[in-house]
Amino acid sequence: MTASMNYIDGLQSLRATDFFFVKQHKSLVEALTGYQPASKFSIFNRESQLLFNAYEESTCCQRCWCTNSRELVLHIMDTANNEVIRMTRALKCCCVCCWCGDCNSCKQEMIIESPPGTVIGSVNHEESRCRMRYTLRDANRTNMMGIIGPRCICDGPYSCCCESEFAIIGTDGETKIGAIQKQYGGYCTEAFTSADSFTLE
């Protein structure tokens, strides 16, 4: 009962906000050596109040050699350090590209559990010709909304004038209902680390 109440309390902040700022923690080890440690994030609302912390669970070998295709578990914790959401992705054997979204050995899928142990939905990589596409589904595999990536993803130290936007699309496949945008982190952050910041609206 206590664990269940903690989970409910931890998600109450989601009801009162339509904006999130997700900041990945920088790593001095990565800046100096190029080795990418497991990612850690802080998630804030529009008023810069901390809502959640998140950390990645993955193997050193997969982070080095499998990069974006690696197996991982993302634990999202409330401010009382209770795990309220768990996101799990399996290892895939090929790189993520627009055309391989229907190939089972390449298709990315992230399973969402809340509370941990109870599947509430998934994010699924879809095939497309020229940009990343994802479908968000509920626990019954019903399509709830989509995400469409930009034609060209801006990244690196010289991307200051270009912020990559992933549009969130309603069930009609056309109406834009929100967006996820990568924020430019500054020359040193972009050049020497993989730490990124995002807004979700």
Side-chain angles (χ1 to χ4, degrees), residues 10 12-14 16-23 41-53 77-79:
Q12 285 302 316
S13 56
L14 294 178
T17 186
D18 60 358
F19 176 91
F20 298 97
F21 177 65
V22 181
K23 184 175 181 62
F41 304 86
S42 293
I43 304 169
F44 304 89
N45 64 11
R46 198 182 296 275
E47 288 73 38
S48 299
Q49 297 171 318
L50 179 65
L51 301 179
F52 304 101
N53 288 300
M77 319 294 287
D78 66 12
T79 54

Side-chain angles (χ1 to χ4, degrees), residues 126-152:
E126 304 292 347
E127 179 185 18
S128 65
R129 289 189 175 87
C130 59
R131 57 175 69 181
M132 292 293 183
R133 288 182 179 267
Y134 302 90
T135 300
L136 281 70
R137 299 179 177 142
D138 66 13
N140 298 317
R141 309 291 292 178
T142 303
N143 292 353
M144 301 302 291
M145 61 186 77
I147 298 175
I148 301 176
R151 293 187 186 279
C152 178

Side-chain angles (χ1 to χ4, degrees), residues 36-39 56 58-59 62-64 66-72 89-92 108:
Q36 183 182 354
S39 298
E56 172 189 356
S58 61
T59 66
Q62 287 194 20
R63 287 196 303 276
C64 289
C66 304
T67 60
N68 293 339
S69 300
R70 66 183 180 270
E71 178 179 353
L72 63 85
R89 185 179 71 184
L91 172 68
K92 295 297 180 179
Q108 296 279 344

